[in-house]
Amino acid sequence: MEITTQPAEQQQMNAWKEEVNDVRNEVKMMRERLEQIVLSTAPREIMSKVEHFENRFLRQREVADEMYHDIKQCSKKLSDQPQVVHDDRPVDDYQTIQHRMEIFQKLFIELKDDFNHFITCDV
């Protein structure tokens, strides 16, 4: 019996897809926490910050969706499977996806830290 393993790049792509899904779930939980604040009797200055975070969460979700799609496409490109070419956004090579993922991770950590600071200090 032959055991096949995925190349390291494919394993990394699968890990990134899981991480992007985790980010989606965390953003969903943070939005739910934001909804609780909206339903409370928070002061007006808090509500402007709520709107700010709502916009950031929306954008984070959009970027997560784009990252997931592009990681999937790049993974297909590496695996010799037939590809569908999309004109709206080219599927990048592994190094480009890796760089974009690093930026994605950094920006999400900043968002999460900002939101946690908002929750603990302002609300």
Side-chain angles (χ1 to χ4, degrees), residues 31 34 48-58 111 114-116 118-119 122:
R31 286 189 74 194
L34 210 56
S48 67
K49 291 180 182 180
V50 165
E51 184 177 355
H52 169 76
F53 280 107
E54 191 172 60
N55 292 334
R56 287 181 70 185
F57 294 156
L58 179 63
L111 171 61
D114 289 349
F115 184 69
N116 288 334
F118 167 69
I119 293 296
D122 292 337

Side-chain angles (χ1 to χ4, degrees), residues 31-51:
R31 286 189 74 194
E32 289 169 358
R33 178 65 178 111
L34 210 56
E35 287 174 12
Q36 293 172 354
I37 295 168
V38 169
L39 296 174
S40 72
T41 56
R44 185 178 197 100
E45 60 271 6
I46 296 296
M47 290 304 172
S48 67
K49 291 180 182 180
V50 165
E51 184 177 355

Side-chain angles (χ1 to χ4, degrees), residues 4 23-24 33 36 41 45 63-64 66-68 74 84 86 89 99 105 121:
T4 59
V23 166
R24 288 172 169 165
R33 178 65 178 111
Q36 293 172 354
T41 56
E45 60 271 6
V63 172
E66 290 170 3
M67 280 302 305
Y68 191 87
C74 188
V84 176
H86 298 277
R89 194 174 57 253
H99 178 70
Q105 292 163 332
C121 296

Side-chain angles (χ1 to χ4, degrees), residues 5-18 94:
T5 59
Q6 294 179 325
E9 288 177 346
Q10 286 289 351
Q11 290 177 341
Q12 183 62 61
M13 298 261 194
N14 289 335
W16 286 337
K17 286 192 285 187
E18 288 179 28
Y94 178 82

